[in-house]
């Protein structure tokens, strides 16, 4: 239940300046965990509040004044607020007044070393803390022990987020030593800390004690081939893991060749992200034996692994054994005709599939019919991305026929951008049928940056079609050039629809 508090000035008095407290209560989310059960609010969030430099000190004092009013506070989120920088000690000195706090978020607050030290001293005063987010604060790096050194065994922490904190190798070692103290930990996100790969051995040892872990994110952490071996030895201890993100670790390539067997032990895994990991043919061969065994898998991201293109036929074919799969991203994988055909055939066995991204795979062009024949089985499809797939006129004509037949009735986002070989006749057929996509909210038919083209007579068909689509809000048409007559048509269209649909024509128009 949302509550709003306002302080009214007395009659006849000069109107005081609007304090941060007033702005906070007017603009923040204030909710009771049990609506109507108590008068006090339990959750307070105020993000992205940016006072002027002159108001910074006053804003901090207002925050300090706020805490004593909220003894039952459970959530404090002051992320993305520059006013916190250098002043956190004034706030943390009041933490004992909110000892029931369970969630503390200080993301992107430009914390200083003194802020970090003050936070570490204050954590003892909030023993009920379950979630701590310090992401995007570079001064956390090198100073992590100052914050977390007082964590005791049996800590109630369930979520620890330290994304892009410039953590050092020593910080990574400290995290490894700390993990056995956090046996309730469910979410650990150390992403974009490129130096902790050197201390992964310590982290991996610590992870053996976190049997309740559900989310492990090590995106862009400087992991190597040896890191895969270290993690593989840990997976059998993480039976509850649902989300594993190892993406953007380009040195991982080759590491899965002999170290992926224990990945199959993650029987509850729902999300596996390996995009941009420089996977090799040997990696793909090894993963082919493991990924099909992950029967709970719902999201698989293998995108931007160009070396897997010619070696992934068996892997993509065996995706048919993942009936729960909802999202499949293989964009930028340099797929070949045989691998694309295997994927198209497997898609018939994936009825839950909602998101498919095949962008930047040139083999799709001229072969889209292979996938379209299977779309009748993908009734749940919401997002289809085919950007820069070298599509030809025949491809979009076939796509139009599938749309007309009602096989893409739930489609919400369709990306056909950067397919410059489609002629005006092809776009005309497509635009005449796009109106059958009643759930469509976003459509992109932009041209690639190096080209531009006059918009054909099909534009009128497009306007007529989208006028019948009540949910569409965005149409990408970058680098299509509208003649004066079509600009006038678009202007009248926008007036009739009160600008509810944004046509993105790029900077030129």
């Amino acid at each position: 239940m949302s509550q709003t508090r306002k302080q009214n000035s007395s009659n006849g008095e000069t109107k005081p300046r609007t304090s941060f407290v007033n702005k906070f209560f007017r603009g923040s989310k204030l909710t009771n965990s049990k609506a109507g059960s108590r008068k006090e609010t339990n959750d307070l969030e105020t993000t992205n509040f940016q006072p002027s430099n002159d108001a910074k000190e006053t804003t901090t004092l207002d925050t300090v004044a706020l805490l004593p009013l909220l003894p039952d506070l459970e959530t404090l989120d002051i992320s993305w607020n520059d006013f916190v920088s250098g002043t956190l000690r004034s706030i943390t000195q009041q933490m004992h007044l909110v000892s029931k706090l369970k969630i503390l978020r200080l993301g992107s607050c430009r914390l200083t070393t003194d802020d970090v030290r003050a936070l570490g001293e204050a954590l003892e005063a909030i023993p009920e803390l379950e979630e701590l987010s310090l992401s995007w604060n570079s001064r956390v790096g090198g100073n992590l022990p100052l914050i977390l050194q007082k964590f005791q065994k049996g800590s109630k922490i369930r979520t620890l987020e330290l994304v892009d904190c410039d953590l050092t190798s020593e910080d990574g070692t400290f995290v490894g030593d700390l993990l056995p103290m956090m046996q309730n930990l469910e979410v650990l996100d150390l992403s974009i800390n490129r130096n902790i790969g050197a201390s992964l051995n310590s982290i991996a040892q610590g992870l053996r004690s976190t049997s309740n872990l559900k989310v492990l994110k090590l995106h862009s952490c400087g992991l190597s081939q040896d890191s895969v071996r270290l993690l593989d030895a840990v997976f059998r201890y993480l039976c509850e893991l649902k989300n594993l993100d190892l993406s953007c670790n380009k040195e991982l390539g080759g590491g899965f060749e002999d170290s992926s067997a224990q990945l199959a032990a993650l029987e509850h895994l729902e999300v596996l992200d390996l995009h941009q990991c420089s996977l090799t043919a040997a990696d793909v061969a090894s993963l082919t034996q493991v990924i099909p065994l992950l029967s709970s898998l719902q999201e698989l991201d293998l995108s931007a692994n160009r070396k897997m293109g010619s070696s992934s036929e068996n892997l993509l074919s065996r995706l048919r054994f993942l009936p729960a799969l909802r999202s499949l991203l293989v964009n930028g994988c340099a797929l070949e005709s045989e691998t694309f055909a295997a994927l198209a055939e497997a898609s018939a066995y994936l009825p839950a599939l909602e998101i498919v991204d095949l962008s930047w795979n040139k083999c799709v062009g001229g072969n889209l019919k292979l996938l379209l024949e299977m779309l009748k089985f993908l009734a749940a499809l919401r997002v289809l991305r085919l950007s820069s797939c070298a599509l030809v006129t025949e491809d979009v004509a076939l796509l139009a026929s599938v749309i007309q037949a009602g096989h893409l009735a739930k489609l919400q986002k369709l990306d056909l951008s950067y397919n410059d070989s489609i002629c005006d006749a092809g776009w005309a057929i497509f635009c005449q049928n796009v109106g059958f996509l009643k759930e469509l909210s976003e459509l992109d038919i932009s041209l690639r940056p190096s080209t531009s083209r006059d918009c054909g007579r099909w534009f009128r068909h497009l306007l007529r079609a989208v006028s019948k689509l009540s949910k569409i809000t965005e149409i990408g048409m970058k680098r299509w050039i509208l003649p004066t007559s079509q600009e006038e048509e678009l202007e009248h269209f926008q007036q009739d629809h009160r600008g509810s649909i944004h046509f993105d024509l790029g900077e030129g128009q």
Side-chain angles (χ1 to χ4, degrees):
M1 179 176 65
S2 297
Q3 298 178 354
T4 303
R5 302 180 182 181
K6 294 183 180 179
Q7 296 180 351
N8 297 322
S9 58
S10 302
N11 291 336
E13 292 183 354
T14 303
K15 183 178 179 180
R17 64 166 179 79
T18 302
S19 72
F20 170 68
V21 173
N22 287 340
K23 289 182 179 180
F24 184 89
F25 277 114
R26 285 205 302 269
S28 303
K29 299 177 182 177
L30 295 85
T31 58
N32 251 331
S33 59
K34 295 181 180 180
S37 63
R38 285 180 288 182
K39 293 182 180 180
E40 293 297 334
T41 180
N42 287 347
D43 304 314
L44 295 180
E45 301 178 13
T46 176
T47 57
N48 201 29
F49 178 75
Q50 305 294 346
S52 64
N53 290 334
D54 293 339
K56 183 174 181 178
E57 182 177 352
T58 301
T59 304
T60 303
L61 294 175
D62 284 342
T63 308
V64 172
L66 185 66
L67 294 181
L69 304 177
L70 304 167
D72 293 324
L73 190 67
E74 294 183 354
T75 299
L76 177 59
D77 186 350
I78 48 177
S79 301
W80 304 94
N81 286 293
D82 286 351
F83 80 83
V84 176
S85 179
T87 67
L88 188 61
R89 183 174 295 277
S90 299
I91 299 173
T92 58
Q93 286 175 343
Q94 304 296 314
M95 283 295 188
H96 64 284
L97 300 174
V98 288
S99 60
K100 297 180 182 180
L101 198 67
K102 293 183 177 180
I103 299 174
L104 177 59
R105 299 187 183 119
L106 293 165
S108 192
C109 285
R110 301 176 68 180
L111 299 182
T112 65
T113 301
D114 185 63
D115 292 332
V116 167
R117 184 178 291 107
L119 177 60
E121 296 168 358
L123 288 182
E124 278 188 309
I126 43 178
E128 302 299 316
L129 195 66
E130 295 181 359
E131 178 179 330
L132 178 62
S133 178
L134 302 174
S135 298
W136 303 292
N137 287 291
S138 61
R139 291 300 179 90
V140 171
N143 294 303
L144 192 61
L146 295 178
I147 305 174
L148 305 181
Q149 62 185 347
K150 296 184 180 180
F151 272 12
Q152 301 296 319
K153 190 166 185 177
S155 165
K156 294 185 178 181
I157 285 289
R158 296 179 182 274
T159 298
L160 180 60
E161 296 177 345
L162 300 170
V163 179
D164 198 9
C165 284
D166 201 16
L167 299 183
T168 64
S169 177
E170 291 75 15
D171 289 327
T173 300
F174 174 76
V175 169
D177 294 339
L178 185 68
L179 286 173
M181 307 288 186
M182 297 189 290
Q183 295 181 359
N184 293 309
L185 193 66
E186 295 181 358
V187 177
L188 178 61
D189 193 346
L190 301 176
S191 297
I192 320 181
N193 288 290
R194 295 171 180 82
N195 296 317
I196 68 170
S199 52
L200 189 68
N201 185 35
S202 176
I203 295 173
Q205 289 295 324
L207 285 172
R208 294 170 181 249
S209 302
T210 58
S211 58
N212 292 311
L213 197 68
K214 292 180 172 61
V215 177
L216 177 60
K217 295 188 176 184
L218 297 172
H219 162 90
S220 190
C221 282
L223 304 187
S224 63
Q225 292 182 0
D226 192 51
S227 301
V228 181
R229 178 184 59 80
L230 293 171
L231 289 172
D232 192 57
V234 173
F235 289 148
R236 62 192 176 99
Y237 298 95
L238 304 179
C239 298
E240 300 299 319
L241 198 67
K242 293 184 177 182
N243 187 325
L244 177 61
D245 184 354
L246 302 178
S247 61
C248 294
N249 287 289
K250 296 182 179 180
E251 301 302 317
L252 276 185
F256 287 98
E257 181 176 353
D258 299 314
S259 303
S260 66
Q262 293 300 323
L263 188 63
L266 303 177
E267 59 183 26
H268 298 295
L269 195 67
E270 297 177 357
V271 179
L272 178 59
D273 191 344
L274 297 175
H275 82 265
Q276 203 170 342
C277 284
S278 300
L279 297 181
T280 65
D283 288 327
V284 173
S286 181
L287 291 170
T288 298
Q289 306 303 314
V290 176
I291 289 179
L293 301 178
L294 302 174
S295 58
S296 297
L297 200 64
Q298 298 180 17
E299 300 179 24
L300 178 61
D301 189 348
L302 298 173
S303 57
N305 287 292
R306 297 190 62 82
K307 293 181 180 179
M308 66 174 281
S310 60
S311 58
S312 57
E313 181 177 351
N314 289 335
L315 173 59
L316 297 179
S317 177
R318 296 188 69 189
L319 293 181
R320 68 184 65 201
F321 299 115
L322 301 176
L325 197 65
R326 294 190 296 107
S327 175
L328 177 61
L329 310 183
V330 288
N331 46 296
C333 285
L335 299 183
E336 297 183 355
S337 297
E338 293 78 10
T339 53
F340 175 60
L343 173 59
E345 183 179 352
S347 65
Y349 300 89
L350 302 174
L353 207 57
E354 297 180 1
I355 301 172
V356 176
D357 192 342
L358 290 165
S359 298
W360 302 93
N361 288 293
K362 305 302 182 185
C363 68
V364 179
N367 292 306
L368 188 61
K369 60 181 179 294
L370 296 176
L371 179 64
L372 295 179
E373 289 173 0
M374 303 301 170
L375 286 179
K376 65 183 70 175
F377 301 105
L378 303 182
L381 197 65
R382 295 186 295 106
V383 179
L384 179 60
R385 301 193 185 281
L386 300 170
S387 177
S388 194
C389 282
L391 299 184
V392 296
T393 298
E394 181 186 2
D395 292 323
V396 290
L398 288 169
L399 177 59
S401 66
V402 170
I403 291 173
Q404 187 179 40
H407 294 310
L408 295 174
K410 293 186 178 181
L411 199 66
Q412 297 174 9
K413 298 180 181 180
L414 178 59
D415 186 353
L416 301 176
S417 61
Y418 297 6
N419 288 291
D420 298 357
S421 298
I422 302 170
C423 70
D424 284 353
W427 286 122
I429 295 172
F430 171 76
C431 291
Q432 287 170 354
N433 289 278
V434 73
F436 290 101
L437 299 175
K438 299 300 182 183
E439 299 295 316
L440 195 66
S441 62
E442 296 181 19
L443 171 66
D444 197 344
I445 57 173
S446 298
L447 299 174
R448 64 179 63 253
S450 60
T451 62
S452 61
R453 240 165 85 186
D454 288 337
C455 209
R457 298 176 65 180
W458 53 263
F459 184 66
R460 180 169 295 179
H461 296 305
L462 178 63
L463 291 181
R464 186 177 298 115
V466 298
S467 67
K468 301 175 183 178
L469 301 179
S470 61
K471 297 184 178 181
I472 194 156
T473 59
E474 185 79 20
I475 298 178
M477 292 186 60
K478 291 180 180 177
R479 290 167 290 280
W480 284 105
I481 301 172
L482 300 182
T484 302
S485 60
Q486 290 181 340
E487 285 185 349
E488 292 175 352
E489 284 186 68
L490 179 58
E491 184 177 351
H492 291 311
F493 178 89
Q494 294 287 50
Q495 290 174 351
D496 292 340
H497 291 79
R498 299 181 180 179
S500 60
I501 304 174
H502 177 229
F503 284 79
D504 187 358
L505 299 171
E507 298 178 359
Q509 296 189 35

